[in-house]
Amino acid sequence: MMSYAIVGFGAVGQALARAFARKNINVTVASRRSPEALAPQARSIGPAVVAKSLRDAVEADTIILAVPFGEHREVAKALPNWKGKTVIDAMNLFPVPEELDGLPASAVVAKAFTGAKLVKGFNHLAAATLAADPTVEGGHRVVFLSGDDEDAIAPVAALAKQLGFAPVKLGKLNEGGALVHARGRTWGRLIFQDLFRKEQ
């Protein structure tokens, strides 16, 4: 069984926790706050959501990053090497500072998580939309996935389907992935697009 953790327990982290709870899929949640501080909110979402320390959370096979962009480097320090882990970047950076030198923000995140397989996903929907049931009349809410490692995208797509979403693969971070990244002061064209896919 794959194990999952959400690092960051603000609006997006809680929205994702609700998606896991809805399908009764176990997920660990962690943030800068202590597990004791997070526990009441985690319990109120559902029994599948368990608050732990960051150190314990990063033991999971798949870690979803839902922290403010500036905090990802601190999270990356939790392990000396992320080999064997999949990191899902659910963060958005806006406006994009010039020091990124034209790189998509996820490419910068990938450098911090040495050895990890990085997939951009679950970032283009507003938290309230992400928290809502993704199964709608005759279809499922779309989540866009992109990454430079094709093998990493497949299990994340499988997770998205388990959670009730319709995964749509955009390809590499600097190609189709550019549609879900901000550049400068311009949002990517697919950010905040609430789309549905009919049953196949």
Side-chain angles (χ1 to χ4, degrees), residues 6-59:
I6 300 164
V7 177
F9 205 48
V12 171
Q14 290 182 34
L16 285 163
R18 288 181 194 287
F20 277 85
R22 193 180 296 116
K23 296 294 184 178
N24 206 26
I25 300 168
N26 291 335
V27 67
T28 297
V29 295
S31 82
R32 283 177 304 180
R33 292 182 293 152
S34 70
E36 293 74 24
L38 303 183
Q41 181 64 38
R43 273 197 300 270
S44 75
I45 293 173
V49 182
V50 179
K52 293 188 179 177
S53 67
L54 178 60
R55 184 175 292 170
D56 288 339
V58 298
E59 294 293 315

Side-chain angles (χ1 to χ4, degrees), residues 134-174:
T135 309
V136 287
E137 204 177 321
H140 297 268
R141 182 169 273 121
V142 165
V143 291
F144 296 108
L145 305 176
S146 57
D148 293 341
D149 185 331
E150 182 63 35
D151 293 342
I153 296 177
V156 177
L159 170 63
K161 276 187 175 170
Q162 265 189 291
L163 295 174
F165 294 94
V168 172
K169 299 175 188 177
L170 297 178
K172 293 188 180 299
L173 294 173
N174 65 350

